Amino acid sequence: MSAPMTALVWTGVMLLGGAGAVCRFLVDRTVSARHTRGFPFGTLAVNLTGAFLLGFLGALALDRHTALLAGTAFVGSYTTFSTWMLETHRLGEERRIGPAVGNVVASVALGLIAAWLGMSLGCRL
């Protein structure tokens, strides 16, 4: 890859990665403000919409640079595995085992469904 193309890809990763992080912050805050029951609904919403989006993008015939920018830079910074694990751990520390297990089960099961729905939609385009 040429130096100008490399610089363009790196610039895209920085910009789209930043945009994904800002979107994650906004979605998490918006959802969490509406659901104050102590369950991490904001993180769940972010990860489910991210799974849908990544499934959708994965079904499209994107060139490798576009896939890198859309999938890794934007969706990678938008979704948050580490926050999901930390919130689940905190629920366990608070002895809220039901919500902790519910968070794991809902995140995995609904995430797989969301990714499948995104891929199904992407395949139809």
Side-chain angles (χ1 to χ4, degrees), residues 11-82:
T11 301
V13 168
M14 287 186 287
L15 293 174
L16 289 172
V22 169
C23 288
R24 174 178 73 205
F25 177 78
L26 294 173
V27 170
D28 184 27
R29 287 286 175 125
T30 301
V31 172
S32 294
R34 295 174 190 250
H35 300 282
T36 58
R37 295 187 185 106
F39 186 85
F41 286 108
T43 301
L44 181 63
V46 163
N47 286 340
L48 294 180
T49 55
F52 176 86
L53 182 57
L54 196 55
F56 177 77
L57 293 170
L60 301 178
L62 302 176
D63 67 81
R64 66 175 227 183
H65 296 305
T66 304
L68 170 75
L69 292 172
T72 303
F74 182 80
V75 180
S77 66
Y78 175 69
T79 57
T80 175
F81 181 80
S82 58

